[in-house]
Amino acid sequence: MMPRVRAPELPQNQLWLNADKPLSLQELRGRVVILDFWTYCCINCLHILPDLKYLEQKYKDSLTVIGVHSAKFDNEKESENIRQAILRYDIEHPVLVDSGFRVWQEYAVRAWPTLIAIDPEGYVIGSVSGEGNREVLDELIKKLILQHQEKGTINFQELSLTLEKQRQPLVTPLAFPGKVLAKQQKLFIADSGHHRLVISHVDGQILHVIGTGEPGLTNGSFNQCQFSAPQGMAFDAENQLLYVADTENHALRRVDFKHQIVETIAGTGKQSRNIRPHSGVAIETALNSPWDLQKIGNSLFIAMTGSHQIWEMNLETGIVRTYAGTGAEACVDGTLTESVFAQPSGIATDGQDLYVADSEGSTIRAVGLVEPLTVRTVCGSGDLFGFGDIDGQGFDVRLQHCLGVEYAQNFLWVADTYNHKIKLVNPQSGNCQTILGDGVAGLQDGEGKNTRFSEPSGLSVMDSELYIADTNNHAIRRVQLNTLTVITLQFPNLCSPNLCIPN
């Protein structure tokens, strides 16, 4: 615990979201305050949001959580992008946009996420960094409430807020689609913000909507099952099975189109805290934010974002294991057991290598499937803070939080997410060139670089077309690869879950 220090006042002249007006610690006297220093790219920051939501609900008349958004990437400094992240992750507490790291420095913060507790008299009484501190915080808040009840210095009163989701409800047919998979003239869309899967014909005709639209971990029929922010998918055409990375459930799900049911095949529904390489029976082994999948034979390879590793599930034996990565967060090449990743979020293959969009390092990596079993950097700096927007060769390339990668015809298509661009990479030479997007966030159809995207995250090639999950535009875009013409797909019979009228 830290000595009692008066908490520095929060700035009144910076942008506040999820609030009608700036909040001051002076007016919050009598309440316990937790400052959550976060940035929306950070998987560890996302992992503690459920803990904060739990505490906010439990102590809603005496606790105020304030998110202090101190951006890592340039793209995260844009207020509209932060607003979108608040909507995407259903954040219901006030968020202060900490421009220039002013509050971060005043509170001497060193890492994302950091939580700072302030007592009802306005003193900083503790801080903790990282994940997994729900019980510690719960005990601390309970203790503070009892202490200040006895002193008569607590003020029990629920705080009234106007949330961004009230100002801007998510009513679009798709909400923050994270990944798209194109197979057999169908599109499999992870409608992540609506916690469901949408299956359509390539012309936009809806074939299936799988999931209730409410977050949960429920198996069963297509209209009863539930997901929580699903992301990457892999399709077994022969058996008509779709494998799904059910990210916020920390689970893998299998969609059986013949019997129209969904079941859990890996994960316990709880986040794993074990980052060391290990293996076990898939259904009994806790996972950590699986984000993307690639099926090769009877193996399902998993971009395990939360533990910074690549995993493999044997679909015959039902055993899941760490394939590559120590569990530390960095960009280190070498053997499978020596290698280190930083939030791998996209995965593709040419049969010889797995290609990984290693998002927090803004780097594309290649992971060997045949001898020599090594990990190498294809392009990008290999540095957690070495990001930017520079085309070129190998280590000279600069990407910004790339989330998607697809292999087609000897090249890699890359969703350079925070640069709002699609790039083409030669996996052998490491040459990287911008093909689509002018780098400005927006929704603009057209050709080549005369187009705009907003945080595109998922890619899939089928025949001569590239499909893009254009996440912050709530859209799927289609690119004719021979002309580089981009159009936005329409889904006329699809509606937001809360707007759908039952038949």
Side-chain angles (χ1 to χ4, degrees):
M1 286 292 177
M2 299 163 67
R4 272 167 66 88
V5 175
R6 178 70 72 186
E9 188 52 271
L10 300 173
Q12 303 296 291
N13 58 350
Q14 293 186 191
L15 179 65
W16 287 72
L17 300 167
N18 269 354
D20 302 309
K21 59 182 177 56
L23 299 180
S24 71
L25 295 178
Q26 180 65 41
E27 69 181 285
L28 292 170
R29 287 282 163 82
R31 300 178 70 81
V32 178
V33 175
I34 290 179
L35 301 182
D36 169 29
F37 287 83
W38 70 298
T39 186
Y40 75 80
C41 69
C42 162
I43 192 70
N44 312 91
C45 299
L46 302 183
H47 283 161
I48 68 167
L49 291 175
D51 295 344
L52 295 176
K53 189 160 280 199
Y54 167 83
L55 296 169
E56 288 172 84
Q57 290 297 317
K58 185 170 180 180
Y59 301 107
K60 59 186 173 188
D61 60 351
S62 51
L63 169 69
T64 298
V65 174
I66 297 174
V68 183
H69 190 274
S70 307
K72 172 185 172 178
F73 289 101
D74 292 341
N75 183 63
E76 293 177 302
K77 296 173 183 173
E78 299 291 333
S79 58
E80 181 53 34
N81 296 338
I82 302 167
R83 181 180 281 110
Q84 292 297 322
I86 288 169
L87 292 169
R88 188 187 313 190
Y89 299 114
D90 196 25
I91 294 168
E92 296 181 307
H93 51 250
V95 172
L96 164 62
V97 178
D98 184 21
S99 302
F101 279 76
R102 173 182 157 184
V103 186
W104 173 285
Q105 288 163 355
E106 285 179 346
Y107 279 86
V109 174
R110 296 280 178 269
W112 296 281
T114 293
L115 299 169
I116 290 184
I118 300 170
D119 75 10
E121 293 180 293
Y123 289 94
V124 173
I125 48 88
S127 76
V128 64
S129 296
E131 314 176 17
N133 297 300
R134 180 193 288 196
E135 287 75 19
V136 173
L137 289 165
D138 201 346
E139 281 302 309
L140 177 62
I141 295 163
K142 201 184 302 176
K143 188 173 152 191
L144 282 172
I145 291 169
L146 286 172
Q147 279 177 359
H148 287 271
Q149 266 185 299
E150 287 172 12
K151 288 175 73 173
T153 47
I154 196 141
N155 171 24
F156 289 109
Q157 188 180 348
E158 200 171 338
L159 199 65
S160 178
L161 299 167
T162 303
L163 303 180
E164 299 306 316
K165 67 180 181 182
Q166 292 165 327
R167 291 193 183 102
Q168 185 183 340
L170 272 182
V171 295
T172 46
L174 296 172
F176 300 106
K179 300 289 184 186
V180 61
L181 182 64
K183 297 284 181 186
Q184 296 188 326
Q185 301 307 304
K186 297 188 188 89
L187 298 180
F188 302 86
I189 302 164
D191 189 9
S192 310
H194 286 327
H195 309 288
R196 65 183 183 179
L197 307 175
V198 173
I199 320 301
S200 79
H201 192 267
V202 287
D203 65 4
Q205 175 195 344
I206 301 300
L207 303 172
H208 301 285
V209 175
I210 306 173
T212 65
E214 288 294 321
L217 180 53
T218 306
N219 292 322
S221 65
F222 284 7
N223 61 356
Q224 292 177 321
C225 65
Q226 291 180 308
F227 301 86
S228 188
Q231 289 281 344
M233 298 158 288
F235 188 56
D236 175 351
E238 183 183 347
N239 297 299
Q240 290 295 295
L241 298 172
L242 181 72
Y243 297 95
V244 182
D246 195 5
T247 303
E248 290 185 11
N249 276 326
H250 309 288
L252 302 185
R253 315 289 291 282
R254 183 172 61 207
V255 179
D256 182 335
F257 286 97
K258 288 179 185 170
H259 300 98
Q260 301 214 349
I261 57 167
V262 173
E263 58 186 317
T264 303
I265 60 165
T268 62
K270 303 284 187 210
Q271 182 195 347
S272 170
R273 302 273 177 221
N274 184 0
I275 63 167
R276 290 171 306 200
H278 61 286
S279 66
V281 176
I283 204 70
E284 298 169 2
T285 303
L287 308 180
N288 195 338
S289 292
W291 208 279
D292 202 9
L293 302 175
Q294 181 70 55
K295 184 177 181 293
I296 304 174
N298 283 316
S299 287
L300 197 60
F301 288 93
I302 307 153
M304 199 71 76
T305 304
S307 60
H308 314 292
Q309 291 165 328
I310 305 302
W311 280 49
E312 178 186 13
M313 179 176 174
N314 185 311
L315 294 170
E316 276 189 324
T317 64
I319 299 295
V320 69
R321 70 180 182 111
T322 311
Y323 184 76
T326 66
E329 184 179 13
C331 293
V332 179
D333 291 341
T335 65
L336 298 183
T337 53
E338 294 169 338
S339 62
V340 187
F341 298 84
Q343 281 184 220
S345 303
I347 191 169
T349 190
D350 62 358
Q352 303 293 304
D353 288 296
L354 292 169
Y355 296 103
V356 176
D358 211 16
S359 63
E360 202 65 5
S362 303
T363 301
I364 301 299
R365 317 283 294 282
V367 181
L369 292 169
V370 296
E371 296 290 346
L373 295 174
T374 56
V375 176
R376 64 182 172 88
T377 294
V378 176
C379 67
S381 71
D383 179 339
L384 291 180
F385 287 86
F387 57 85
D389 185 6
I390 302 173
D391 292 349
Q393 199 93 0
F395 289 108
D396 295 331
V397 170
R398 292 293 177 269
L399 306 170
Q400 191 181 181
H401 200 72
C402 44
L403 287 175
V405 61
E406 169 72 320
Y407 177 83
Q409 298 173 333
N410 302 319
F411 283 91
L412 299 174
W413 291 94
V414 173
D416 192 4
T417 305
Y418 284 4
N419 282 325
H420 316 292
K421 290 181 174 182
I422 309 299
K423 298 185 176 180
L424 192 63
V425 173
N426 182 318
Q428 304 311 316
S429 69
N431 185 272
C432 173
Q433 298 297 325
T434 299
I435 303 296
L436 301 166
D438 67 0
V440 177
L443 178 61
Q444 181 175 302
D445 290 343
E447 286 185 14
K449 295 178 191 176
N450 188 31
T451 54
R452 286 187 175 168
F453 304 86
S454 187
E455 296 196 10
S457 303
L459 304 172
S460 187
V461 170
M462 184 171 62
D463 302 327
S464 60
E465 294 173 329
L466 170 69
Y467 293 87
I468 301 168
D470 195 7
T471 304
N472 277 11
N473 277 325
H474 315 297
I476 303 297
R477 317 285 291 279
R478 180 168 66 209
V479 186
Q480 294 288 348
L481 292 179
N482 48 2
T483 61
L484 296 180
T485 304
V486 178
I487 65 161
T488 303
L489 295 183
Q490 300 299 318
F491 300 94
N493 295 320
L494 185 66
C495 57
S496 170
N498 50 357
L499 291 182
C500 289
I501 299 167
N503 293 327

